[in-house]
Amino acid sequence: MSRVPGWLGKVGAGLSEMGERLDERRTEMAKEHTEAAPEPAVDDPQPPQPVPVVVVARDRPEPALAVPWGVRVAAEAGWRLLILAGTVWVLMRVISAVQLVVLAFVAALLITALLQPTVTRLIRYGFPRGVATALTAILGFVVMGLIGWFVTWQVMANIDNLSDQVQNGVDDLRNWLLKGPFHVTEKQINQIAKNLREAIGANTDQITSAGLEGVQVIVEALTGILLTVFSTLFLLYDGPRIWQWSLKLVPAAARPAMAGAGPRAWRTLTAYVRGTVIVAFIDAVCIGIGIYFLGVPMAVPLAVFIFLFSFIPLVGAVASGALAVVVALVTQGVFTALMTLAVVLAVQQIEGHILQPFILGRAVRVHPLAVVLSVAAGGMVAGIGGAVVAVPLVAVLNTVVGYLKSYSQDPVSPQSPKPRGATAIEPSDPTP
């Protein structure tokens, strides 16, 4: 055989061995390079790499938590105030619809607070409750009727004399204006009189309609008087049971607190009525004696008007005093009017600084601003009747709210006083 194939076999074996060596060398070099390469530093700049955008779903807060705390508090208070305002508005609408009934019942409460101590004394003396109630009610309403009859009689008996004195007083006032320091001319006085006549003539229809409406007013007044009389009789006779029945309308959870607030409210109302009657009587007597010695006509009827108007705090005293001053001015002249004004102001100062603090005391103490606002609001809502009942209502609410506040803080400490008056249960009364 030829020697070429053998030579080729050796060349192939040599190439294979060389390839194996190259592979081994390449593996060693790669190993050395891996061991010698330093680890990359943290601060070494890295080539910018594309950053994948990853959307992470985050939990959103509740809408109520996103609202600022102050706004949340204002909103919470706002809707509660709106509910309260709506409730008060509905209540006022209901009261205005039955205004006559409400005023009659409130007047009955005031009269009951004045007469109830007499019923209690008669019961202690051994009178049956029905007899004691009847005697007290008859005596009380007879006295009130006599006062009204006396005022009407005095006015009717002196109306002619008063008319003449008023005419003379107007003439004297006219002469004083003409010759006085105000430099009023005859033409100006005639113009004022002409304007008054024109105003009366232009409002003839309104005056006539007011006269026709007077019949309706009289009917409503008689109805209110009858309601007041019947309500007073039932409150005097059955007041404790009425109070116990009223407590059943209160939720059971609030019943103990209201049971304790009731006697305090009644005690406040009784103190207010008694104190007001005493203060009004002293004012009427003092001012009546003063204007009597000054020669002002109808001093006794004016004193009775002062007594009745004193039940309207602040405003009533001013109105009755102004009436006395006007009567003195048109009948006796400027000097007597000034002296009457001095007497009225002196008595009112004694009332405000001595009589009311001493007689009424702290039980019904209400700030003068609250008195003015309550009288104004009561007058706007229900006229004279609303002005009369406004202050005792505020005094009673002040007592009730104060007791309920202390009761909510410590239900044990505000011990309820022994119930008295219409909120008490007499020993002879069966428990309802």
Side-chain angles (χ1 to χ4, degrees), residues 51-140:
V51 179
V53 178
V54 180
V55 178
V56 180
R58 298 182 179 178
D59 294 334
R60 294 184 178 181
E62 293 292 333
L65 298 178
V67 180
W69 182 81
V71 178
R72 292 168 60 188
V73 172
E76 292 283 341
W79 69 261
R80 286 178 171 85
L81 289 176
L82 287 177
I83 293 178
L84 289 176
T87 304
V88 172
W89 182 82
V90 173
L91 182 62
M92 295 303 297
R93 297 283 294 182
V94 173
I95 291 176
S96 62
V98 292
Q99 178 178 336
L100 181 62
V101 178
V102 173
L103 289 179
F105 182 74
V106 174
L109 280 177
L110 297 178
I111 297 174
T112 303
L114 181 63
L115 300 180
Q116 196 277 331
T118 305
V119 176
T120 303
R121 290 190 182 93
L122 292 178
I123 292 175
R124 290 176 182 174
Y125 292 153
F127 286 86
R129 190 175 187 85
V131 176
T133 301
L135 291 176
T136 303
I138 292 173
L139 180 62

Side-chain angles (χ1 to χ4, degrees), residues 119-198:
V119 176
T120 303
R121 290 190 182 93
L122 292 178
I123 292 175
R124 290 176 182 174
Y125 292 153
F127 286 86
R129 190 175 187 85
V131 176
T133 301
L135 291 176
T136 303
I138 292 173
L139 180 62
F141 287 114
V142 166
V143 171
M144 296 177 192
L146 288 177
I147 291 175
W149 170 81
F150 179 76
V151 173
T152 304
W153 172 61
Q154 286 290 314
V155 172
M156 297 301 295
N158 295 276
I159 190 66
D160 295 333
N161 186 25
L162 181 63
S163 178
D164 296 335
Q165 290 182 345
V166 169
Q167 183 62 40
N168 296 331
V170 170
D171 294 337
D172 295 339
L173 180 61
R174 180 174 177 274
N175 295 329
W176 181 78
L177 290 174
L178 290 174
K179 300 176 181 179
F182 297 102
H183 305 288
V184 180
T185 62
E186 182 80 19
K187 182 178 180 181
Q188 291 175 336
I189 294 177
N190 294 334
Q191 184 64 34
I192 293 174
K194 180 181 178 181
N195 293 336
L196 290 175
R197 288 193 298 269
E198 291 178 353

Side-chain angles (χ1 to χ4, degrees), residues 338-358:
L338 293 176
M339 295 301 296
T340 303
L341 179 61
V343 170
V344 171
L345 292 178
V347 173
Q348 289 181 359
Q349 290 299 315
I350 295 174
E351 172 195 343
H353 294 88
I354 298 177
L355 296 179
Q356 286 189 353
F358 179 74

Side-chain angles (χ1 to χ4, degrees), residues 205-410:
D205 297 336
Q206 287 80 357
I207 295 174
T208 304
S209 62
L212 294 176
E213 291 176 357
V215 178
Q216 181 181 358
V217 172
I218 293 175
V219 173
E220 291 181 355
L222 293 176
T223 305
I225 291 173
L226 291 176
L227 288 174
T228 302
V229 170
F230 281 107
S231 299
T232 303
L233 289 174
F234 282 110
L235 288 174
L236 287 174
Y237 178 75
D238 220 11
R241 292 187 181 87
I242 294 174
W243 169 245
Q244 293 297 327
W245 178 83
S246 301
L247 285 178
K248 295 179 181 178
L249 302 178
V250 180
R255 199 169 296 166
M258 291 302 299
R264 285 174 168 79
W266 183 253
R267 185 174 59 184
T268 298
L269 183 62
T270 304
Y272 174 83
V273 175
R274 293 178 184 174
T276 302
V277 169
I278 296 173
V279 172
F281 180 77
I282 295 174
D283 288 351
V285 170
C286 294
I287 296 178
I289 293 174
I291 61 178
Y292 175 79
F293 283 107
L294 289 174
V296 179
M298 294 199 309
V300 177
L302 286 175
V304 175
F305 276 115
I306 291 171
F307 173 79
L308 296 177
F309 275 84
S310 296
F311 284 91
I312 306 176
L314 300 180
V315 180
V318 173
S320 59
L323 178 62
V325 172
V326 170
V327 173
L329 176 65
V330 298
T331 57
Q332 301 297 322
V334 178
F335 176 76
T336 304
L338 293 176
M339 295 301 296
T340 303
L341 179 61
V343 170
V344 171
L345 292 178
V347 173
Q348 289 181 359
Q349 290 299 315
I350 295 174
E351 172 195 343
H353 294 88
I354 298 177
L355 296 179
Q356 286 189 353
F358 179 74
I359 296 175
L360 295 179
R362 297 180 178 272
V364 292
R365 178 167 294 179
V366 181
H367 195 276
L369 179 60
V371 172
V372 173
L373 294 178
S374 60
V375 170
M380 293 174 62
V381 172
I384 297 177
V388 171
V389 304
V391 176
L393 178 62
V394 171
V396 169
L397 288 178
N398 184 35
T399 301
V400 172
V401 171
Y403 175 81
L404 294 179
K405 181 179 179 181
S406 61
Y407 185 89
S408 63
Q409 295 174 354
D410 188 2

